[in-house]
């Protein structure tokens, strides 16, 4: 990955961690709690599924900048998608952040802005921070009240 790209990616992650989007509860929506004991990240993800489509998604919680930015960008990315599409996006995202570092940095048009997490694969301990909101989203899509842990 080029130095400029890396800096741009870090800027986007920093922006989302400082000013997370969709950082609010949706009390009526399906929700799940996620915990990453390795880092201490906690996230509650809310998903308002209507006719099989994610009408709204949000989260609350406290975590490191990677987990907060990941949750923020995830809630933006899944809005308007079907549950199956959201799950597919998670699989692609997971493949990106767990790729061998020498294979990162390629084009990922299908991931859009989520490609900024490509650098995470260089820090294996951070992979769980980035994937926690997604695991939690998956649990929320499958049914209310679930609690997931990355361990
Ligand atoms: Zn973390």
């Amino acid at each position: 990955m080029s130095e400029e790209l890396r800096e741009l990616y870090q800027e986007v992650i920093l922006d989302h961690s400082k000013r997370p989007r969709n950082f609010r509860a949706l009390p009526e929506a399906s929700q799940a709690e996620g915990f990453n004991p390795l880092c201490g990240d906690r996230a509650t993800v809310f998903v308002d599924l209507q006719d099989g489509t994610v009408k709204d998604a949000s989260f609350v919680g406290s975590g490191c900048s990677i987990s907060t930015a990941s949750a923020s960008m995830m809630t933006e990315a899944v809005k308007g998608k079907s549950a199956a599409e959201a799950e597919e996006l998670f699989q692609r995202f997971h493949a990106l952040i767990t790729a061998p570092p020498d294979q990162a940095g390629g084009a990922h048009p299908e991931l859009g802005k989520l490609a900024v997490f490509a650098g995470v694969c260089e820090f294996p301990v951070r992979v769980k921070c980035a994937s926690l909101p997604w695991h939690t989203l998956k649990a929320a899509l499958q049914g209310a009240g679930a609690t997931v842990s990355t361990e």
Side-chain angles (χ1 to χ4, degrees):
M1 199 184 305
S2 74
E3 204 54 44
E4 297 85 68
L5 195 59
R6 193 185 305 269
E7 275 173 29
L8 173 72
Y9 282 3
Q10 281 172 354
E11 237 171 74
V12 174
I13 289 174
L14 206 64
D15 176 51
H16 275 267
S17 69
K18 281 185 176 162
R19 296 187 301 118
R21 321 302 197 261
N22 306 307
F23 190 78
R24 62 182 193 278
L26 292 171
E28 304 297 315
S30 177
Q31 57 180 277
E33 272 175 54
F35 179 47
N36 172 18
L38 219 62
C39 180
D41 308 314
R42 284 180 190 280
T44 302
V45 173
F46 302 85
V47 58
D48 183 4
L49 202 62
Q50 289 191 14
D51 301 324
T53 301
V54 178
K55 195 156 175 267
D56 202 2
S58 69
F59 77 105
V60 295
S62 62
C64 66
S65 55
I66 297 282
S67 71
T68 304
S70 179
S72 169
M73 294 182 74
M74 175 190 78
T75 53
E76 284 194 322
V78 298
K79 261 189 225 183
K81 291 200 161 42
S82 70
E85 286 169 341
E87 189 145 329
E88 194 186 312
L89 197 60
F90 175 30
Q91 280 165 13
R92 288 184 171 163
F93 179 74
H94 199 261
L96 174 80
I97 60 175
T98 55
D102 60 352
Q103 285 173 30
H108 301 280
E110 75 285 0
L111 281 169
K113 284 200 286 181
L114 295 172
V116 300
F117 289 94
V120 168
C121 65
E122 293 175 36
F123 308 97
V125 73
R126 292 306 207 177
V127 167
K128 286 180 177 167
C129 302
S131 62
L132 173 73
W134 288 90
H135 284 295
T136 312
L137 172 78
K138 197 173 163 180
L141 284 169
Q142 284 165 354
T147 302
V148 296
S149 171
T150 56
E151 291 303 303

